Amino acid sequence: MMSMDTAVEGNAGKTLGDLCGLVLSLSVPYDDVAERIEDLAYTEYGRGGLDYAVGELAGLASFFEGLRNKNEEVSRDLAQVYLLIGQMYQYAGRFEESIEWINKSIVVDDMYPVAYHSLAHSFSSIGDESMAVKSLEQEITVAPGNYYTYLLLADKHERSGSADRFEEVLRRLLERDPGNIQALHKLIRHCERDSQHADVELLRRRLLSRSEGLSRIEAVMRAYHLTQAGRAEEAAEFLDAWGVRSPDVSIIHLAKAHIYGQTHQFHRKREELSQFKRKNHGREEVMEIKIAEFASVFGDEAAGRLRQRLKVVY
């Protein structure tokens, strides 16, 4: 069996059909050309060739289905092809067909977390949040270290009004990752709305104990909780230091503008809003995305005040 490099150098792998043909003729293992096949399939989709691309992939699936005495590698390849077809239908907005193919992938290989994540997206897209939640729960069962999935699942419970399940998912995540800032932030905000919760300050101390290696949104969350703890000046200093390492991140200026407004430093507030506007070249649609992200941490009321102020800042 020739290697992928040899096959491509021989001009046999330039098209999706050529690459699929190499696999069908047993010239190369599917795994050697899987990424290239995926790239070419999406290229064909971009040219309006979804049916062609799916047809080629379905031919691969039929080939793997027909092999006798399938070993683990063949089963994995079959599951990957099913999933790719499902994801292409998902990308095209054909979610019912997507669900059908992704489910086929799971039947063949029920230990691959990406399939459950993709399935959840398709169910959400057709409004079936119950099945989306079940898919995410299954993903966590298969890959309990996928921390982002806990946050996604918690958000779904919050939107559905399932407060107990929302809290339970976050606490499960914090058992595995006690310093997860996003989980701590969500749980603190939840506890603040429930007067019977007595552990807000304990959770906040855990959150504030982390200050290094934070993402953009985590830095904004930490600044929010420093402010809530009455440490606004420290919050601004923290954002200054974080911003030095990531000078192109404009949401930091929104957070600092809010903090300066809270501490009645209105000249500094205007400066921060002006920098925010300049970094986003005054593009309202881009700024609105950043304001919405800010609102997800500091709240809609705080975001609304900044939005109004931005209208008169140059």
Side-chain angles (χ1 to χ4, degrees), residues 136 140 146-159 166 169-170 173-174 177 180-187 217-218 221:
L136 293 176
I140 289 173
N146 287 0
Y147 296 156
Y148 172 73
T149 303
Y150 291 85
L151 298 171
L152 185 61
L153 180 59
D155 287 344
K156 288 186 177 298
H157 286 316
E158 184 177 34
R159 286 194 294 270
F166 169 78
V169 170
L170 292 176
L173 172 54
L174 290 169
D177 184 17
N180 190 293
I181 285 183
Q182 294 190 56
L184 286 166
H185 173 74
K186 289 176 183 293
L187 188 55
I217 196 65
E218 289 171 340
M221 287 175 175

Side-chain angles (χ1 to χ4, degrees), residues 10 51 72 91 190 192 219 226 234 258 262 286 288 301:
D51 291 340
E72 184 177 334
Y91 195 71
H190 168 71
E192 286 176 333
L226 282 169
E234 184 180 344
H258 171 77
Q262 293 293 96
V286 176
E288 189 55 41
E301 185 177 343

Side-chain angles (χ1 to χ4, degrees), residues 86 89-90 93-103 119 122-123 125-128:
Y89 277 130
Q90 185 181 80
R94 292 164 60 171
F95 299 108
E96 297 284 359
E97 290 158 292
S98 170
I99 290 168
E100 177 184 347
W101 284 95
I102 297 172
N103 272 326
L119 191 61
S122 286
F123 276 124
S125 298
I126 62 172
D128 192 341

Side-chain angles (χ1 to χ4, degrees), residues 248-267:
D248 295 328
V249 177
S250 62
I251 191 177
I252 296 300
H253 296 294
L254 290 178
K256 287 165 68 178
H258 171 77
I259 293 166
Y260 289 139
Q262 293 293 96
T263 55
H264 307 292
Q265 300 179 69
F266 297 111
H267 177 71

Side-chain angles (χ1 to χ4, degrees), residues 22-95:
L22 288 173
V23 177
L24 294 174
S25 65
L26 300 178
S27 297
V28 296
Y30 174 75
D31 192 52
D32 283 1
V33 291
E35 290 185 8
R36 180 94 187 248
I37 283 176
E38 180 177 352
D39 289 342
L40 289 173
Y42 280 105
T43 298
E44 292 294 340
Y45 169 79
R47 297 170 178 164
L50 174 64
D51 291 340
Y52 163 72
V54 168
E56 292 292 335
L57 296 172
L60 280 181
S62 295
F63 169 72
F64 290 132
E65 289 167 353
L67 291 177
R68 296 182 179 180
N69 302 318
K70 297 181 185 62
N71 58 25
E72 184 177 334
E73 181 179 356
V74 171
S75 294
R76 184 194 63 222
D77 291 346
L78 176 58
Q80 291 294 312
V81 173
Y82 283 152
L83 178 60
L84 178 55
I85 295 173
Q87 289 175 328
M88 291 197 69
Y89 277 130
Q90 185 181 80
Y91 195 71
R94 292 164 60 171
F95 299 108

Side-chain angles (χ1 to χ4, degrees), residues 120 141 191 200 206 235 264 298 300 302:
T141 298
C191 293
V200 169
R206 283 172 60 183
H264 307 292
F298 279 82
D300 292 334

